[in-house]
Amino acid sequence: MDRIEATNELSFRVGFSGHSGHLRVEPISTVERSNPLNSLPDFVLPPAFARETPDSIKAYIEETYLSPRLDPQEFSPEKVGRQWDFDWFERAKVPLEPSLPRSIVIPTWELPFRRQKKGSMQEKWEPNSVQVDVSELMLGAQDSLPRATGPAKDFVRGSINNRPFRPGGLDDSRSLERIHPEGASNGEWVREVLNGGPAQAITPSLKKGLDLGNLKAYPSSWNVYKDQSLLKSTSDEKLGELSVQFDDLFQKAWEEDVVLESEGDGPSSDAESVELECESNKDDVSSSANEPELSLLDDILSVESGGSTLKLDGMSGGGGKQLQQAWAVIGGSEGIAERFYELVPDMALEFPFELDKFQKEAIYYLERGESVFVAAHTSAGKTVVAEYAFALASKHCTRAVYTAPIKTISNQKYRDFCGKFDVGLLTGDVSLRPEASCLIMTTEILRSMLYRGADIIRDIEWVIFDEVHYVNDVERGVVWEEVIIMLPRHINFVLLSATVPNTVEFADWIGRTKQKEIRVTGTTKRPVPLEHCLFYSGELYKICENEKFMPQGFKTAKDAFKKKSLTGFGGGTGSYAGVSAARDGPQAQRREQSNRGKQNKHSGNQNLGNFTGTGGGNRSNGNSQNNWGSRRSDASMWLSLINKLSKLSLLPVVIFCFSKNRCDKSADTMYGTDLTSSSEKSEIRVFCDKAFSRLKGSDRNLPQIVRVQSLLHRGIGVHHAGLLPIVKEVVEMLFCRGVIKVLFSTETFAMGVNAPARTVVFDTLRKFDGKEFRQLLPGEYTQMAGRAGRRGLDKIGTVVVMCRDEILEESDLRHVMVGSATRLESQFRLTYIMILHLLRVEELKVEDMLKRSFAEFHAQKKLPEQQQVLMLKLAQPTKAIECIKGEPAIEEYYEMYSDADDIYKNKISDVIMQSPVAQNFLTPGRVAVVKSPSAQDHLLGVVVKAPSASNKQYIVLVLKPNLPSMAQSPLATSNSQGKRSADFPEGYFMVPKSKRALEEDYCASVTSRKGSGVINIKLPHCGAAAGVSYEVKEVDVKEFLCICNSKIKIDRVRLLEDGSSAAYSQAVQQLLDLKSDGKYPPALDPKDLKLKDVDLAEAYCKWTGLLEKMAKNKCHGCIKLEEHMKLAEEIKRDKEEVNALKFEMSDEALQQMPDFQGRIDVLKEIGCIDADLVVQIKGRVACEMNSGEELICTECLFENQLDDLEPEEAVALMSAFVFQQKNTSEPSLTPNLSQAKKRLYETAIRLGELQAQFKIQISPEDYAKDNLKFGLVEVVYEWAKGTPFADICELTDVPEGLIVRTIVRLDETCREFKNAAAIMGNSAIYKKMEIASNAIKRDIVFAASLYVTGV
């Protein structure tokens, strides 16, 4: 340190000493100085200039620089009238940046053989020009939308004024045609060579043409005059035929080229075979020595693999199967692992241990610049792949981004990578070294950078997604999908995930979305095998090992439970007496046979603290936590477990409880347990003192810190979201050091912290997921159980499930332990901020985002196949109907028939015909229309007999059509009224009188004798009368099509008992009289049927009206009606299929399109966008709101709800946007805050009602309650006023950790409101947010992370 001289000539130096940085002052021996008088010269010359004073300096500056006057040299009298060449813009040095032109004129590309050739063949081609947008022209050349680089301050975070980068895989067919027409890539231009044209041509706007190799040396050898003359004389039709043949040949050559390429590089589904993969590796290393020599045509037409895959999308035939798996390539041949150091001789990062097979494969693919998806169990070594991607970015002088779903993971990874790489950290409240080549950030930060077009995106080569299975998260899973969709195409992916069933499907979606292959690798083998045990009555029972369930072990545990139940110690009592009783289980069980089990729903109810009573199975133990006896029982149970694990050397242990309250209470019950040695106690004390020394005095004595320190000294830890962040980090670091022996934790410890243990214990296998109590899913169980077993330290990891008063069913245990993990499912949903960001840029559409979501993956995957089917259907010749009566009307007739049939099926048949009123009309003699089996030829008939006790059906006499053409087929006609019978001649054939039977001639039409009710004829009874066929049959009420308003006189006795042909003739004749001109009698009036429902009456009238119109149509009664109806049905079916295919391929078929339309209407209504979907200033403000609900925040600003509030009140009210806990104590607010709270809540209700009005599935009350939680308004208000943290904790029942988390997020909200105020031009709000942000930024709430600053 430099020497400091004091006024009294005493020299000293200042230093630091001790861990807490005490100042140390050390005196330095004085230096003897010489007498200054001895250094003076004998004679001093007078000064050359007068002594300068402040006044003289000021006068000189004013005279020289500030006094305006003309230059005497330039403005002399001799130079009067001279003009000076003076460039003011040059002197001003203003950096002029010309604006990018919106459109330019470019030449259009034309197929060579279609160009207009004037004169000789060698004449220069003059292309036509067309005006295009710059963005479309630059689409193929740049990955980003054309824009200038922004200012340096927006380099990392971006700006709302920037345009986002163009997402990879986002194609624009219209633009692609202009920059790369189809004719330029499918080989048609080769015809110019075939026609004898020049082999080398210079494309317009280029200085040099293509080098076609040997072709340029023999330009005339292709010119065969005889064939040339033939070609010239060939007609256009033959030329078209030639082009088809050439296209077929070229496509075949292209397919063969792709097959060769797939065999060499391995993009096909067979790539996992060892031989092919070895060949591909050898080819890559030895410069493709064994690759077949490509033909000249292949050289000319060679394109990159991504382009060839894109072309394959349009191919038909056998290529479809290969295409379906072309994007997700399952790598993993033995050749890579065996020859790894030969394939990757110069590794970017050396590892001090031997890599696993899947790690070698992933690193090999990274070296080749390919994206990888690694699926492996927890602690299997997936981080090695991420580290290698970081090393590659450093080697290539690019950047890599590591993104994780949880801030804790980001902080921990920053600490882990800090010593190895050039690392920076970006989270919501921390920005450390953003210029570093390796950046660690949360997924939300990366999404914001993409939407805001941060220029740093240009430098990124790798994006590493850790914990990809987090995409299943309902709340935040959509962020992962947005980021994957929005990333530009120059960025490669490294995806790290736990083992999931549909890994290949997810990778296929990413590859298809980004138009690049994704190599899938990984392992299902655990580095440390697990054994699963039940803990019951002081003993461990092994029930699962090596992923195999052991029924014998489960049976042993069940027998022990039954034995204890019989002795009356604990079974079925609902208490914990049996757990702490003497161990009467099989003591001879060896440790290798110890089992594990699952907590029942009663203990699950108990273990959930605040949620007591909301789960299933509430027994006496459900509410007994406050009971002293229950606490003693609980303590003895934990003590019994810890002692058992300690004896078996199974510590340290992580005990998962699914409630913060349960974790705290369980730890507090172990007040007499001490698990640490004196040296460990010393290490814990020193570490805690150093960690908490950064807090001020009052914060160090917070009850939570004192309590946790007391637990830590005894080797017991607690970890949940209610802890202060610094306390959680202390617990995590001490656990990683191995001095904490027992850790009570919630589920977040398994997701957010890489800290494996020797043993994992499940307090219960039931959890509350925010909506209901349910069993753990297999994926959740596997994630937490994976923390058991420390690689390199333990041979076996032990997982224990607590059993208190019951053993769970074997099927439930099997499901959770060896069941299939949860599939990756899309949680994609539209948000207003997503819509507004995409509407800001014309080139990006919301529909494109919807199409590329994982939810739409399968529908979009079928598009090429659907397009081929559509083309085939459109290419089929149209069927024509030739009408013998002039202009065809069959389509109109068929439409009426279809409508009538639909109405009948949906309403008439079920509602009207089966009503009691309608059945009262179906009495003998009532005329009705009955459906025939053909469902088209409906028959006129009369009811002969109503249902009775012996016969539940109606007996009806119906007229049957008797035309010769109808005798062959049961399908009589397509007429819904059976109108064919109208084609009979007007006269009827009558039997001569001499041949009539006696009774037919002389008997009366209606007999007066009473029948016996017996039916003597055999049903169905067929016959003929009056030249018409008839049939008597049984009919169900559902078969009646229409009840007519007419009745006829019939003789039921003679019809059914005697079978009189005269009676049949009379009945048939009466029916024929009613059926005049082929029309049926009118139907009953709706009033007669007493239809009270207006809609039903309208449907009935419409139906009867359709029947009348059909009767008047000229197709009615046509002899070709049946044939034409079939044709009309086929034509309509074809049209419907074509329309259905077009709809499925359109944007309207997207699942979330209705929701999108509703949200667009809402944004228009509140003024965020105008009628042309142009984002207004209100929408730009909404784009800034990331932490709160964007609509409510925006309305709050534009309604000036914060204007009359002080900064402390404003920030307190804003806490409602970010606070997340639902059930809290009611805060005590000032009158001003209470009024502001009411006003904000009313705004949320109004917005909720507006969204419900536009058909968005939202309840206004739920919308307001979900997005506004006022539980911490009072706490934040007092904190902003300067109240100590210990005092504000007394104001609420919210845990300290949630208070800190809310205030930290609130600082980010203040920053967003400040940016929004700048956009609005509201300086008052800008200043207010600045003051509020400074007011809350202090003390323990904003203490730096131990991971970031170190201890």
Side-chain angles (χ1 to χ4, degrees):
M1 181 174 288
D2 295 337
R3 180 171 172 272
I4 301 175
E5 294 186 2
T7 55
N8 58 359
E9 296 296 320
L10 175 64
S11 301
F12 63 92
R13 60 184 177 188
V14 182
F16 294 89
S17 67
H19 293 292
S20 46
H22 297 295
L23 289 177
R24 183 177 71 251
V25 179
E26 296 179 1
I28 302 176
S29 59
T30 59
V31 180
E32 186 173 347
R33 296 183 56 185
S34 59
N35 188 355
L37 296 177
N38 297 333
S39 61
L40 292 176
D42 296 334
F43 178 75
V44 179
L45 292 172
F49 301 98
R51 185 179 180 85
E52 294 287 353
T53 63
D55 292 338
S56 64
I57 295 173
K58 180 180 178 182
Y60 175 77
I61 293 175
E62 289 179 350
E63 177 69 15
T64 308
Y65 300 104
L66 302 181
S67 300
R69 66 165 154 238
L70 299 177
D71 187 351
Q73 296 294 329
E74 293 293 332
F75 293 88
S76 62
E78 293 79 16
K79 296 181 179 179
V80 173
R82 176 186 167 192
Q83 295 183 354
W84 291 275
D85 185 14
F86 191 83
D87 189 356
W88 290 99
F89 288 98
E90 180 66 25
R91 292 293 292 272
K93 302 295 183 185
V94 178
L96 294 179
E97 296 181 2
S99 59
L100 199 66
R102 297 289 296 175
S103 60
I104 60 175
V105 176
I106 63 168
T108 56
W109 194 88
E110 234 179 324
L111 293 175
F113 62 91
R114 290 182 182 163
R115 296 174 191 159
Q116 297 294 329
K117 297 188 175 82
K118 303 175 184 177
S120 67
M121 293 284 292
Q122 303 297 333
E123 184 174 348
K124 185 178 179 181
W125 168 52
E126 295 182 1
N128 297 322
S129 297
V130 66
Q131 184 173 334
V132 298
D133 288 343
V134 174
S135 59
E136 295 181 358
L137 182 66
M138 302 174 73
L139 174 64
Q142 291 190 1
D143 291 330
S144 63
L145 299 178
R147 62 175 174 83
T149 305
K153 67 182 181 67
D154 298 330
F155 181 74
V156 176
R157 299 277 183 167
S159 169
I160 195 69
N161 298 318
N162 288 350
R163 305 171 73 176
F165 289 83
R166 187 172 191 84
L170 187 67
D171 57 344
D172 186 342
S173 57
R174 186 165 54 90
S175 302
L176 284 173
E177 286 175 5
R178 284 181 176 161
I179 64 167
H180 197 199
E182 184 180 358
S185 58
N186 66 5
E188 290 185 2
W189 58 272
V190 182
R191 293 186 207 178
E192 184 170 17
V193 176
L194 297 179
N195 286 338
Q200 184 175 10
I202 298 177
T203 308
S205 77
L206 294 182
K207 296 181 179 180
K208 187 178 180 181
L210 288 174
D211 182 4
L212 300 183
N214 295 331
L215 284 179
K216 67 178 182 180
Y218 312 103
S220 60
S221 63
W222 293 88
N223 196 355
V224 182
Y225 292 97
K226 184 176 180 181
D227 295 339
Q228 179 68 21
S229 61
L230 287 174
L231 281 173
K232 287 184 178 179
S233 61
T234 303
S235 64
D236 293 339
E237 180 179 351
K238 289 186 178 180
L239 185 61
E241 183 181 353
L242 175 64
S243 69
V244 172
Q245 293 171 354
F246 181 81
D247 288 347
D248 294 341
L249 287 171
F250 186 81
Q251 182 170 352
K252 183 177 180 183
W254 188 298
E255 288 174 350
E256 290 174 355
D257 180 36
V258 171
V259 170
L260 287 174
E261 235 180 277
S262 67
E263 289 176 356
D265 294 336
S268 69
S269 60
D270 297 328
E272 61 268 18
S273 66
V274 178
E275 294 81 2
L276 289 180
E277 197 68 11
C278 290
E279 288 179 8
S280 69
N281 300 334
K282 189 180 299 182
D283 292 343
D284 290 326
V285 175
S286 58
S287 304
S288 305
N290 297 326
E291 188 174 342
E293 185 179 356
L294 294 178
S295 65
L296 185 60
L297 186 63
D298 294 332
D299 279 330
I300 297 171
L301 303 174
S302 61
V303 293
E304 60 186 14
S305 58
S308 65
T309 312
L310 184 62
K311 288 297 174 187
L312 277 170
D313 281 337
M315 289 188 179
S316 59
K321 288 186 179 178
Q322 181 182 0
L323 178 66
Q324 290 179 3
Q325 296 186 2
W327 300 115
V329 183
I330 304 176
S333 71
E334 296 295 335
I336 294 178
E338 293 170 358
R339 301 171 51 227
F340 174 71
Y341 295 103
E342 179 185 344
L343 297 173
V344 189
D346 183 21
M347 291 182 65
L349 179 65
E350 297 291 340
F351 296 94
F353 50 85
E354 180 63 23
L355 297 174
D356 290 339
K357 177 173 174 287
F358 79 92
Q359 293 170 337
K360 292 180 178 179
E361 293 169 5
I363 289 174
Y364 169 67
Y365 295 133
L366 291 182
E367 285 282 357
R368 288 176 52 177
E370 299 185 38
S371 299
V372 296
F373 191 125
V374 181
H377 286 295
T378 304
S379 303
K382 298 188 292 288
T383 309
V384 166
V385 185
E387 290 182 6
Y388 201 83
F390 272 5
L392 279 178
S394 301
K395 181 179 178 181
H396 298 162
C397 297
T398 56
R399 296 179 192 265
V401 169
Y402 182 100
T403 175
I406 297 177
K407 183 180 174 182
T408 307
I409 301 180
S410 300
N411 291 339
Q412 192 178 45
K413 292 299 180 185
Y414 177 79
R415 184 194 64 172
D416 295 344
F417 293 148
C418 227
K420 301 178 182 178
F421 307 104
D422 176 29
V423 185
L425 177 65
L426 294 174
T427 59
D429 58 321
V430 177
S431 179
L432 290 176
R433 303 193 68 251
E435 73 280 358
S437 63
C438 303
L439 291 174
I440 299 171
M441 62 183 70
T442 55
T443 320
E444 280 79 4
I445 297 294
L446 181 56
R447 177 183 65 169
S448 175
M449 290 166 58
L450 288 167
Y451 277 137
R452 298 164 70 91
D455 288 310
I456 197 174
I457 299 292
R458 303 179 194 269
D459 303 339
I460 296 175
E461 181 184 9
W462 303 98
V463 171
I464 303 151
F465 293 91
D466 198 4
E467 308 286 355
V468 171
H469 49 273
Y470 203 82
V471 77
N472 281 342
D473 185 75
V474 177
E475 293 296 325
R476 298 170 60 201
V478 59
V479 181
W480 291 72
E481 291 193 52
E482 285 183 75
V483 169
I484 290 172
I485 295 170
M486 288 293 296
L487 282 174
R489 63 181 165 191
H490 71 273
I491 295 178
N492 291 323
F493 293 78
V494 177
L495 302 126
L496 311 178
S497 169
T499 52
V500 290
N502 58 335
T503 301
V504 176
E505 178 190 10
F506 192 76
D508 193 22
W509 165 67
I510 296 176
R512 191 171 296 275
T513 302
K514 312 310 292 182
Q515 294 289 299
K516 63 171 62 180
E517 290 178 359
I518 308 292
R519 293 283 184 170
V520 180
T521 184
T523 179
T524 57
K525 180 183 177 182
R526 288 188 177 276
V528 181
L530 296 182
E531 62 176 20
H532 305 258
C533 307
L534 293 176
F535 182 79
Y536 178 72
S537 186
E539 289 297 328
L540 292 172
Y541 302 89
K542 188 194 302 183
I543 61 171
C544 184
E545 188 175 26
N546 294 327
E547 310 293 333
K548 293 181 181 178
F549 196 80
M550 301 167 59
Q552 185 60 37
F554 177 78
K555 184 176 181 298
T556 306
K558 201 74 172 175
D559 292 342
F561 168 70
K562 291 177 181 177
K563 183 178 179 182
K564 182 171 282 293
S565 300
L566 292 175
T567 57
F569 280 131
T573 63
S575 70
Y576 294 134
V579 178
S580 58
R583 298 169 188 161
D584 56 354
Q587 298 289 344
Q589 286 283 352
R590 296 175 58 191
R591 175 178 165 279
E592 287 77 16
Q593 295 176 343
S594 51
N595 300 341
R596 94 161 206 187
K598 182 175 180 183
Q599 164 86 355
N600 62 17
K601 60 185 177 182
H602 311 300
S603 60
N605 198 25
Q606 176 193 7
N607 292 340
L608 285 155
N610 294 335
F611 305 119
T612 299
T614 55
N618 295 327
R619 285 175 33 181
S620 60
N621 65 333
N623 294 317
S624 63
Q625 291 186 17
N626 298 325
N627 188 306
W628 174 247
S630 173
R631 290 190 179 184
R632 289 189 58 191
S633 171
D634 215 15
S636 62
M637 177 199 64
W638 290 123
L639 188 60
S640 172
L641 172 67
I642 300 306
N643 288 337
K644 185 72 175 178
L645 295 178
S646 181
K647 287 178 182 178
L648 298 174
S649 301
L650 295 180
L651 297 180
V653 58
V654 177
I655 301 174
F656 285 110
C657 307
F658 299 104
S659 160
K660 298 187 287 288
N661 192 24
R662 176 70 179 162
C663 287
D664 291 333
K665 289 186 176 180
S666 298
D668 291 339
T669 58
M670 301 181 65
Y671 50 84
T673 305
D674 193 342
L675 302 172
T676 55
S677 63
S678 57
S679 62
E680 289 172 336
K681 280 182 169 55
S682 174
E683 182 180 352
I684 293 171
R685 187 178 300 278
V686 170
F687 186 89
C688 290
D689 289 344
K690 289 173 65 178
F692 295 130
S693 64
R694 65 187 61 202
L695 304 179
K696 72 176 189 179
S698 60
D699 289 341
R700 292 181 202 169
N701 299 321
L702 287 172
Q704 186 183 97
I705 293 181
V706 174
R707 172 178 156 271
V708 170
Q709 276 186 290
S710 172
L711 289 171
L712 291 175
H713 290 157
R714 292 184 281 117
I716 301 168
V718 180
H719 188 283
H720 55 72
L723 295 180
L724 293 164
I726 192 171
V727 175
K728 280 202 298 184
E729 291 176 350
V730 166
V731 172
E732 292 164 10
M733 290 181 174
L734 287 175
F735 187 83
C736 290
R737 291 188 177 198
V739 293
I740 295 181
K741 309 302 181 183
V742 178
L743 178 64
F744 292 90
S745 171
T746 53
E747 188 178 1
T748 53
F749 187 81
M751 171 69 79
V753 184
N754 182 20
R758 176 68 180 85
T759 306
V760 162
V761 174
F762 287 89
D763 179 47
T764 175
L765 291 183
R766 287 176 63 82
K767 64 176 283 190
F768 183 77
D769 61 0
K771 297 180 181 178
E772 61 180 355
F773 288 94
R774 61 168 174 81
Q775 295 284 354
L776 282 184
L777 298 174
E780 296 170 336
Y781 179 88
T782 303
Q783 177 78 20
M784 287 180 272
R787 295 299 172 192
R790 297 163 296 180
R791 191 170 188 177
L793 296 177
D794 305 321
K795 293 183 178 179
I796 293 178
T798 305
V799 184
V800 179
V801 178
M802 301 295 296
C803 291
R804 291 181 171 82
D805 58 350
E806 193 171 286
I807 305 289
L808 229 74
E809 294 297 326
E810 182 179 351
S811 59
D812 293 337
L813 290 171
R814 279 182 181 273
H815 172 68
V816 76
M817 291 182 184
V818 297
S820 178
T822 309
R823 291 172 55 85
L824 294 177
E825 300 287 348
S826 174
Q827 303 296 336
F828 189 85
R829 67 182 189 279
L830 278 173
T831 60
Y832 290 105
I833 196 166
M834 181 198 305
I835 295 173
L836 289 169
H837 272 302
L838 294 175
L839 289 179
R840 284 195 307 116
V841 185
E842 298 173 1
E843 290 84 351
L844 300 179
K845 297 198 302 181
V846 183
E847 291 87 341
D848 292 328
M849 182 73 83
L850 290 176
K851 287 179 189 175
R852 284 157 178 77
S853 69
F854 190 37
E856 298 286 346
F857 168 58
H858 293 290
Q860 296 297 313
K861 193 175 180 179
K862 296 177 183 176
L863 281 182
E865 180 183 345
Q866 291 175 337
Q867 191 171 10
Q868 292 175 4
V869 173
L870 179 62
M871 297 298 291
L872 288 174
K873 287 188 174 293
L874 292 176
Q876 291 176 354
T878 306
K879 298 176 182 177
I881 300 176
E882 298 179 358
C883 183
I884 60 176
K885 298 184 178 181
E887 190 69 24
I890 188 65
E891 291 188 8
E892 178 187 358
Y893 187 84
Y894 181 78
E895 289 293 334
M896 289 190 291
Y897 165 73
S898 300
D899 293 343
D901 194 45
D902 290 341
I903 296 173
Y904 178 79
K905 287 178 180 177
N906 295 332
K907 294 186 178 181
I908 308 298
S909 175
D910 296 335
V911 182
I912 297 179
M913 290 302 172
Q914 298 190 35
S915 65
V917 178
Q919 294 182 20
N920 289 338
F921 281 95
L922 292 174
T923 55
R926 172 65 62 182
V927 178
V929 179
V930 180
K931 291 192 293 184
S932 73
S934 68
Q936 293 180 351
D937 179 26
H938 305 304
L939 313 173
L940 184 65
V942 60
V943 178
V944 179
K945 187 181 182 202
S948 61
S950 59
N951 188 7
K952 301 296 184 182
Q953 293 185 312
Y954 292 90
I955 297 178
V956 182
L957 182 148
V958 295
L959 303 181
K960 296 180 65 179
N962 201 23
L963 283 174
S965 63
M966 305 313 298
Q968 306 294 331
S969 173
L971 298 174
T973 176
S974 299
N975 187 351
S976 64
Q977 305 170 342
K979 305 169 182 60
R980 277 292 178 81
S981 53
D983 295 325
F984 285 110
E986 293 297 329
Y988 304 102
F989 175 75
M990 302 296 292
V991 180
K993 188 174 182 179
S994 60
K995 294 186 179 181
R996 295 178 194 165
L998 181 64
E999 61 172 358
E1000 292 179 7
D1001 200 15
Y1002 297 107
C1003 289
S1005 60
V1006 180
T1007 180
S1008 59
R1009 70 185 176 89
K1010 188 175 182 181
S1012 61
V1014 178
I1015 302 175
N1016 294 326
I1017 61 175
K1018 183 179 180 181
L1019 300 178
H1021 172 71
C1022 299
V1028 182
S1029 297
Y1030 66 84
E1031 181 182 9
V1032 181
K1033 61 179 181 177
E1034 293 177 318
V1035 172
D1036 189 73
V1037 67
K1038 293 182 179 180
E1039 297 183 44
F1040 284 103
L1041 182 68
C1042 174
I1043 304 175
C1044 301
N1045 61 1
S1046 305
K1047 288 190 72 172
I1048 62 173
K1049 294 181 179 180
I1050 59 169
D1051 190 341
R1052 188 175 59 183
V1053 176
R1054 295 177 64 200
L1055 290 174
L1056 299 181
E1057 297 182 19
D1058 301 341
S1060 170
S1061 55
Y1064 283 116
S1065 296
Q1066 292 175 352
V1068 169
Q1069 187 61 53
Q1070 291 183 73
L1071 288 174
L1072 289 173
D1073 292 341
L1074 289 174
K1075 191 178 178 182
S1076 59
D1077 299 331
K1079 299 178 183 179
Y1080 286 157
L1084 283 174
D1085 192 87
K1087 296 179 181 177
D1088 298 333
L1089 293 172
K1090 299 181 180 179
L1091 299 180
K1092 298 180 181 180
D1093 188 352
V1094 177
D1095 294 337
L1096 194 61
E1098 286 182 358
Y1100 182 80
C1101 294
K1102 180 180 178 181
W1103 178 66
T1104 55
L1106 285 171
L1107 297 183
E1108 292 178 5
K1109 287 182 180 179
M1110 289 167 67
K1112 296 177 182 178
N1113 193 287
K1114 65 180 180 181
C1115 294
H1116 170 62
C1118 177
I1119 58 174
K1120 288 194 173 185
L1121 180 62
E1122 179 183 1
E1123 177 187 346
H1124 288 176
M1125 284 289 280
K1126 288 181 179 179
L1127 280 174
E1129 184 178 4
E1130 289 181 13
I1131 292 172
K1132 184 180 181 182
R1133 185 170 60 247
D1134 289 343
K1135 284 183 179 179
E1136 288 176 349
E1137 289 176 357
V1138 168
N1139 292 334
L1141 279 172
K1142 288 181 178 178
F1143 176 77
E1144 289 176 10
M1145 296 170 64
S1146 68
D1147 294 342
E1148 301 300 322
L1150 298 172
Q1151 295 177 11
Q1152 301 199 35
M1153 187 53 70
D1155 184 47
F1156 168 59
Q1157 295 295 347
R1159 290 178 184 269
I1160 285 291
D1161 293 337
V1162 170
L1163 291 174
K1164 287 180 181 177
E1165 185 69 24
I1166 64 178
C1168 287
I1169 57 177
D1170 62 9
D1172 297 324
L1173 304 185
V1174 177
V1175 179
Q1176 306 298 300
I1177 186 172
K1178 202 171 189 179
R1180 290 170 61 82
V1181 168
C1183 287
E1184 292 285 347
M1185 306 301 174
N1186 291 303
S1187 53
E1189 212 287 330
E1190 49 268 29
L1191 294 190
I1192 301 178
C1193 293
T1194 305
E1195 289 297 305
C1196 172
L1197 276 177
F1198 276 83
E1199 291 177 359
N1200 301 321
Q1201 295 188 14
L1202 303 179
D1203 283 7
D1204 57 347
L1205 300 178
E1206 295 298 320
E1208 295 82 3
E1209 294 173 327
V1211 74
L1213 184 67
M1214 288 160 57
S1215 69
F1217 297 134
V1218 295
F1219 182 49
Q1220 293 180 334
Q1221 186 169 314
K1222 293 182 179 179
N1223 302 317
T1224 60
S1225 56
E1226 189 66 26
S1228 175
L1229 305 180
T1230 63
N1232 208 14
L1233 270 177
S1234 298
Q1235 184 180 358
K1237 171 187 170 183
K1238 179 183 177 183
R1239 189 169 52 199
L1240 187 61
Y1241 187 80
E1242 289 173 352
T1243 299
I1245 291 290
R1246 177 173 57 81
L1247 288 171
E1249 291 172 347
L1250 179 65
Q1251 293 174 79
Q1253 175 186 338
F1254 286 107
K1255 309 300 181 189
I1256 298 176
Q1257 301 301 317
I1258 282 179
S1259 166
E1261 290 75 16
D1262 292 344
Y1263 172 76
K1265 290 178 181 177
D1266 290 343
N1267 293 295
L1268 292 178
K1269 299 181 179 68
F1270 297 97
L1272 283 187
V1273 173
E1274 180 187 9
V1275 170
V1276 175
Y1277 177 65
E1278 294 296 333
W1279 176 253
K1281 287 173 64 178
T1283 307
F1285 190 79
D1287 294 342
I1288 68 169
C1289 291
E1290 302 295 329
L1291 300 175
T1292 180
D1293 57 355
V1294 178
E1296 294 92 327
L1298 292 182
I1299 295 175
V1300 171
R1301 184 181 176 190
T1302 300
I1303 297 177
V1304 169
R1305 292 190 63 198
L1306 196 53
D1307 178 57
E1308 188 179 349
T1309 308
C1310 289
R1311 191 161 55 247
E1312 293 169 359
F1313 271 64
K1314 189 169 69 171
N1315 294 338
I1319 294 174
M1320 296 169 61
N1322 191 334
S1323 58
I1325 292 293
Y1326 186 94
K1327 187 68 176 174
K1328 188 174 293 186
M1329 290 299 102
E1330 209 166 33
I1331 296 172
S1333 177
N1334 294 330
I1336 62 175
K1337 265 203 249 187
R1338 60 183 176 87
D1339 299 347
I1340 191 172
V1341 173
F1342 284 85
S1345 168
L1346 298 179
Y1347 289 118
V1348 176
T1349 60
V1351 181

